[in-house]
Amino acid sequence: MASLHRTAALLAAAFTLAALSAAPARAQTEWPTAKPISYVVPFTAGGSTDIVGRILANKLQESLHQSVVVDNRPGQAGGIGAAYVAKAAPDGYTLFGGTISTHAINPSLYKKLPYDAMKDFEPVTLVGRLPNVLIVNSQLGVNSVAELIALLKKDESKRTFASSGAGTSTHLAGEMFADMIGVKLTHVPYKGTPPAMTDVASGLVPFMFDQVTAALPLVKSGKLKLLAVTTGKRIALVPELPTMIESGVAGFEMSSWQAVYAPKGTPKPIVDRLNAEIAKALRQPDVQAKLSGQLAMEIVGSSPEELRAHMAREIPRWAELVKKSGATAD
């Protein structure tokens, strides 16, 4: 009888140990259950990255049945938020709304970047591409790109442009413009689109490049004018707006982009699940209406491997422009 009791006790202990050893594996397979997911947006609220982040966070919250909280961490053209995520635990509970700035331009613009765009993240998906537009203060007295160029060549006091931050696509668009028209321009960086656009609307800075939808309310109120779009083709949201190329700036073509990342080392099953859920969200009519209609975005929804390959092409492309223009953020 005693031996039976000892056998039963040993079996009970073995079952307990087995249950404890299985707990970590079970926790991983049951992701996400431990805590809310943080979706880090590296810019201020109200800009395109924030809008994309909140749309995706809401959809992920619905499909994953777990709270997804948007965490705005602006600064250094998204670098502050990127550095934070690069050091976060790779457990699937921290996501990052990356952009052309954080993962293509910053690596060459900053000499001491506190993260490695290629090595510190797990690519999840390329969400889509966004056009920028050339925006001027409505009282500047110009109605076309040609008239703006003539003014800049004539009046030194107008040779400044705003951007949503050093290293953003809006900054590099201005540098590209200066290089192509042969006029030295002074860059005025802001912490996000809203404050930059407010100062252009008030006349403190003459012009800027930024996303079209951010400017439309101030265009409708008469404070801003749109002169051209930076993509190779006109956009459906403002079909009457010419391209920079049509406006006489030959070869001027660029677009921003938005992507989702996780910290390096995030388990592949979690990355794959996130990729699948975001792809599903991007196919939903309400999401397409918001991204295409509200932001004029060309929706992509890539695989993680396609996003990594996209970055590998983009980083040297922007490094060449940064070197040629002499732009720096240090």
Side-chain angles (χ1 to χ4, degrees), residues 168-197:
T168 60
S169 65
T170 63
H171 171 198
L172 269 291
E175 298 289 356
M176 183 186 291
F177 183 55
D179 178 67
M180 288 185 166
I181 66 174
V183 176
K184 179 66 176 177
L185 300 175
T186 299
H187 172 228
V188 183
Y190 288 79
K191 288 187 176 181
T193 292
M197 203 161 289

Side-chain angles (χ1 to χ4, degrees), residues 31 39 56 60 85 92 94-98 103 117 121-127 257-264 266-279 282 300-309 311:
W31 174 92
Y39 189 113
L56 294 182
L60 286 173
V85 174
T94 304
L95 303 178
F96 183 63
H103 282 76
F121 301 85
E122 297 291 347
V124 176
T125 187
L126 177 63
V127 177
W257 48 265
Q258 302 276 342
V260 178
Y261 298 87
K264 184 68 176 179
T266 301
K268 190 175 186 300
I270 293 178
V271 172
D272 290 344
R273 173 81 185 280
L274 285 166
N275 178 274
E277 296 296 348
I278 293 173
L282 293 176
V300 178
S302 74
S303 69
E305 294 75 21
E306 288 169 335
L307 174 53
R308 185 175 293 280
M311 292 163 55

Side-chain angles (χ1 to χ4, degrees), residues 11-22:
L11 286 171
F15 280 126
T16 300
L17 286 172
L20 289 173
S21 64

Side-chain angles (χ1 to χ4, degrees), residues 106-118:
N106 281 359
S108 57
L109 199 69
Y110 289 87
K111 295 177 181 178
K112 296 181 179 179
L113 199 63
Y115 65 92
D116 188 304
M118 292 296 292

